[in-house]
Amino acid sequence: MTTTSDSQNPHPDTPYLVVDSTLLDANLSAMSARADHLGLDLRPHAKTHKSIDIARRQVAAGAVGLTVATIGEAEVFAAAGFDDLFIAYPLWLSPNKVRRLHALASATRLRVGADSIPGVEQLAQALTGTGAEVLVEVDSGQHRTGTSPEEVVAVARSAIAMGLDVAGVFTFPGHGYGPGLRAQAADDEGAALADATRRLTEHGMAPRVISGGSTPTVAAADAGVLTEIRPGVYPFNDAQQVELGTCDLADVALVAVGTVVHRTEHTAVLDTGSKILGADRPSWATGHGRLPDHPAARIVALSEHHATVDFSTERAPDLGARVRVAPNHVCTAVNLVDDLVVVRDGSAVARWPVSARGRN
Amino acid sequence: MTTTSDSQNPHPDTPYLVVDSTLLDANLSAMSARADHLGLDLRPHAKTHKSIDIARRQVAAGAVGLTVATIGEAEVFAAAGFDDLFIAYPLWLSPNKVRRLHALASATRLRVGADSIPGVEQLAQALTGTGAEVLVEVDSGQHRTGTSPEEVVAVARSAIAMGLDVAGVFTFPGHGYGPGLRAQAADDEGAALADATRRLTEHGMAPRVISGGSTPTVAAADAGVLTEIRPGVYPFNDAQQVELGTCDLADVALVAVGTVVHRTEHTAVLDTGSKILGADRPSWATGHGRLPDHPAARIVALSEHHATVDFSTERAPDLGARVRVAPNHVCTAVNLVDDLVVVRDGSAVARWPVSARGRN
């Protein structure tokens, strides 16, 4: 059910999340054009939206397939008919996950990540003989998961020895999530993937797929090295992307709508707390989210059901006024709701279920 | 359905949230004993667990009723048969919320919060003639919502003039959430409530209900002033409470269970990211959660599907090892899952649905 009986109600009870489908489509088109211009495959990360409706639009706009973070997300999208999925995560498989991954590989074209020889041994139990592909994760500077470029050969060789098809390498340049760090992170990404590619090629395992990219770094992606980009946030954008300089407030396609429940002259408390916005707040963020209609305002405190907004020199909105808030990190906000209200030209036109909500 | 067919599986796929029912029962008993000792009614905040099963145990242990944060939570608990609910929030009512609140007041004994005259006007539309009670919220120092003690008389008088039954006052001493601040916040709470009570009494509106209390401040609650306490977190506890000194790591009854997916000698990456732990991190927290079995370890970085743990001088657990993590803030972690795995003496015995998940 993608449209419910109250889809025509333009004012659901607050707080709720709303997507402007005109802005969404513009963001999808812009990223597809960027990937085309770079000559790279676009494989968007569906963890951002967890929505079958949005994933269909991404594929219609030219995406070659989807990226997901978990087996649970892959199961939801495979059941909805998506037939080319990449689980960009160094999975460790319990016996039950061996069964689940094997079933997935039988149902859809599947790629999975790996960054260690013991991890590859697990994957072989589930995937050998299924046609599924493995991408070795390389650390390009975030220092979270991934092998060093030196270790990539050993992991790839071990996977091949166990009967797996190593299609190539991937990285996530997450260290680009900081002011002024995007260009350097994109450079690091290109350098690490180039180094890994050279080493694999020297050992007769030349990669077919060289996958990178994040929403902040994709503009600077090294099209001479990569074959594929995997941005996630770009359909919606969020306050983090605004403050990183990736987009403007006017490009934010998803906001929480809240109500002023308490006010003084220059402050207001909204009912958009951390249970609708998410609690993400990187050290460099100027607050707990941004208000597209009040660019100078800052959310100075956030609890579960209260966002305290300092409107600076502006008069705070009246009690009962509805206020739009861009979450800091849209991926965690979307995972808090069962559906998204969709508006076009100011009118609610649909509800899109967050089909993979909680499949983390 | 409180027990599913896989309730006997002691090792669900990670990450998941698990409750130790022996520790839970001990925490429930300890708080009931504390309330008894203080001679105060216990009205626990159900936003923490959103669970009908746990709320039933709280009532069985002596709670007089439940506190909730939203109309949506109240609807879930009223439908499950709970007949004494307090929505501790200064509601602003849309026309649809007027209808919802009126229906609630017809179905259950109901109290609601108010902190402004316009807010009271809204409540009167829904509640006049229903027997529902209003508690005026007083700001005791958190400076989030609530009136000053001076304004409480005007708000109460306006409510009575509109035909509402003003039962008393409440506050939330949220400024006690910081190291070393608990005792002062409890003092502030008692002073603000005493001041508001004196003013209301002088104006012939002596409160029957004087409600305060939070998990960190309840030990220092002023039993000479309060009639009721509303702690939320105490059934589970969490890393924040440990670091505030409210409890020990051994008292934490709910943890996320994760798997080591990447490791070096002294660090490990777990699959317990912000989509299972929540992203709450107050400035004074030592990390993004704590590991009950590794007290010296700290979660130094957290993304949606990765928790990077520094084990200090200890050797990190092996790849594939299962690790228990106490979230920083259990209320936002529970809201991320559809059910809680329940263990007793190390065996899974049930699944408890998070029935009000997302009703924010």
Side-chain angles (χ1 to χ4, degrees):
Chain A
M1 178 175 70
T2 58
T3 305
T4 68
S5 57
D6 57 349
S7 70
Q8 302 311 312
N9 178 2
H11 299 298
D13 287 341
T14 64
Y16 63 93
L17 298 185
V18 61
V19 179
D20 182 310
S21 73
T22 306
L23 284 172
L24 172 74
D25 288 343
N27 291 337
L28 296 183
S29 298
M31 187 59 81
S32 292
R34 197 174 299 177
D36 277 350
H37 174 73
L38 293 167
L40 300 177
D41 286 344
L42 173 62
R43 185 183 290 276
H45 209 312
K47 73 180 168 66
T48 297
H49 53 71
K50 292 176 175 273
S51 156
I52 289 165
D53 300 272
I54 294 174
R56 286 195 179 127
R57 285 177 181 235
Q58 290 177 314
V59 170
V64 299
L66 300 177
T67 306
V68 296
T70 66
I71 294 175
E73 287 180 344
E75 288 166 339
V76 169
F77 286 102
F82 292 87
D83 59 2
D84 190 348
L85 303 175
F86 171 35
I87 307 176
Y89 195 83
L91 295 172
W92 184 271
L93 300 179
S94 63
N96 193 50
K97 282 189 178 172
V98 168
R99 286 189 287 274
R100 292 169 66 193
L101 197 64
H102 184 79
L104 263 175
S106 309
T108 184
R109 181 174 180 199
L110 187 68
R111 285 183 190 151
V112 301
D115 78 347
S116 71
I117 293 173
V120 159
E121 290 168 359
Q122 304 275 318
L123 292 179
Q125 295 178 43
L127 298 181
T128 298
T130 64
E133 298 172 320
V134 171
L135 297 194
V136 181
E137 184 178 2
V138 181
D139 177 12
S140 56
Q142 185 181 23
H143 307 319
R144 188 175 68 177
T145 50
T147 70
S148 67
E150 295 77 25
E151 295 165 315
V152 71
V153 170
V155 174
R157 189 176 270 157
S158 139
I160 291 168
M162 283 180 259
L164 291 166
D165 179 5
V166 176
V169 288
F170 79 108
T171 193
F172 176 66
H175 57 308
Y177 270 80
L181 302 178
R182 290 192 291 148
Q184 182 63 52
D187 284 354
D188 295 344
E189 170 187 50
L193 288 173
D195 189 5
T197 296
R198 181 181 55 76
R199 290 170 190 267
L200 287 172
T201 304
E202 283 173 6
H203 289 82
M205 300 180 286
R208 307 187 292 276
V209 178
I210 303 165
S211 177
S214 65
T215 297
T217 60
V218 79
D222 188 338
V225 174
L226 277 65
T227 65
E228 173 181 283
I229 49 174
R230 306 187 317 279
V233 173
Y234 74 94
F236 301 137
N237 292 309
D238 57 22
Q240 281 189 164
Q241 299 297 333
V242 171
E243 298 200 342
L244 289 170
T246 310
C247 68
D248 295 325
L249 270 173
D251 302 319
V252 174
L254 181 149
V255 293
V257 179
T259 298
V260 176
V261 299
H262 182 92
R263 73 179 292 280
T264 63
E265 189 177 355
H266 295 295
T267 68
V269 177
L270 311 177
D271 59 1
T272 52
S274 63
K275 280 181 171 168
I276 190 82
L277 293 179
D280 296 61
R281 187 186 172 174
S283 59
W284 45 264
T286 64
H288 299 273
R290 290 288 295 271
L291 281 58
D293 305 310
H294 305 273
R298 290 296 182 275
I299 301 178
V300 294
L302 189 72
S303 45
E304 286 161 71
H305 300 280
H306 306 74
T308 303
V309 184
D310 179 348
F311 283 85
S312 183
T313 57
E314 190 187 348
R315 184 180 174 281
D318 289 337
L319 272 173
R322 291 198 168 210
V323 178
R324 304 190 312 140
V325 182
N328 269 348
H329 187 188
V330 71
C331 307
T332 54
V334 169
N335 184 52
L336 295 168
V337 299
D338 291 325
D339 54 26
L340 303 170
V341 176
V342 185
V343 298
R344 180 179 293 273
D345 302 329
S347 297
V349 295
R351 296 253 184 153
W352 288 342
V354 182
S355 302
R357 194 210 58 74
R359 301 297 297 267
N360 301 310
Chain B
M1 179 177 67
T2 57
T3 305
T4 66
S5 58
D6 58 349
S7 70
Q8 302 311 312
N9 178 1
H11 299 298
D13 286 341
T14 65
Y16 62 93
L17 298 184
V18 61
V19 179
D20 182 310
S21 73
T22 306
L23 283 172
L24 172 74
D25 288 343
N27 292 337
L28 296 182
S29 297
M31 186 59 79
S32 292
R34 196 173 299 177
D36 277 350
H37 174 73
L38 294 168
L40 301 178
D41 286 345
L42 172 61
R43 183 182 292 275
H45 209 313
K47 73 179 168 65
T48 297
H49 53 70
K50 293 175 175 275
S51 156
I52 290 163
D53 300 271
I54 294 174
R56 286 193 180 129
R57 286 175 180 234
Q58 290 177 313
V59 170
V64 299
L66 300 177
T67 306
V68 296
T70 66
I71 294 175
E73 287 180 345
E75 288 166 340
V76 169
F77 286 102
F82 292 88
D83 60 1
D84 190 349
L85 303 175
F86 172 33
I87 307 176
Y89 194 83
L91 295 172
W92 184 271
L93 299 180
S94 63
N96 193 50
K97 282 189 177 172
V98 167
R99 287 188 288 274
R100 293 169 65 193
L101 196 63
H102 184 79
L104 264 174
S106 309
T108 183
R109 182 176 179 197
L110 187 68
R111 282 183 193 152
V112 300
D115 78 346
S116 71
I117 293 173
V120 159
E121 291 168 0
Q122 304 276 319
L123 291 180
Q125 295 179 42
L127 299 180
T128 298
T130 63
E133 297 172 321
V134 171
L135 297 194
V136 181
E137 184 178 3
V138 180
D139 177 12
S140 57
Q142 185 181 22
H143 307 321
R144 189 175 66 176
T145 49
T147 70
S148 66
E150 295 78 25
E151 295 165 316
V152 72
V153 170
V155 174
R157 189 176 268 158
S158 141
I160 291 169
M162 283 181 258
L164 292 167
D165 179 5
V166 176
V169 288
F170 79 106
T171 194
F172 176 66
H175 58 308
Y177 270 79
L181 302 179
R182 291 192 291 148
Q184 182 63 51
D187 283 354
D188 295 344
E189 171 188 48
L193 289 172
D195 189 4
T197 296
R198 182 181 55 76
R199 290 170 189 265
L200 287 171
T201 304
E202 283 173 4
H203 289 82
M205 300 180 287
R208 307 187 293 275
V209 179
I210 303 165
S211 177
S214 66
T215 297
T217 60
V218 78
D222 188 338
V225 174
L226 276 65
T227 64
E228 174 180 281
I229 51 174
R230 307 187 317 278
V233 173
Y234 74 94
F236 300 138
N237 291 311
D238 57 23
Q240 283 188 163
Q241 300 296 334
V242 171
E243 299 200 341
L244 289 171
T246 310
C247 68
D248 294 325
L249 270 173
D251 302 319
V252 174
L254 180 148
V255 293
V257 179
T259 297
V260 175
V261 298
H262 182 92
R263 74 179 291 281
T264 64
E265 189 177 356
H266 294 296
T267 68
V269 177
L270 311 177
D271 59 0
T272 52
S274 63
K275 280 181 170 169
I276 190 82
L277 292 179
D280 297 61
R281 185 183 174 177
S283 58
W284 44 265
T286 65
H288 298 272
R290 290 288 295 271
L291 281 58
D293 305 311
H294 305 274
R298 291 296 183 275
I299 302 178
V300 295
L302 189 72
S303 44
E304 286 160 70
H305 300 280
H306 306 74
T308 304
V309 184
D310 178 349
F311 282 85
S312 183
T313 56
E314 189 187 349
R315 185 181 173 280
D318 288 336
L319 271 173
R322 293 199 167 209
V323 178
R324 305 190 312 139
V325 182
N328 269 347
H329 187 189
V330 72
C331 307
T332 54
V334 169
N335 184 51
L336 295 168
V337 300
D338 291 326
D339 53 26
L340 303 171
V341 176
V342 184
V343 299
R344 180 180 294 273
D345 302 329
S347 296
V349 294
R351 296 252 184 155
W352 289 342
V354 183
S355 302
R357 194 210 59 74
R359 301 296 298 267
N360 302 311

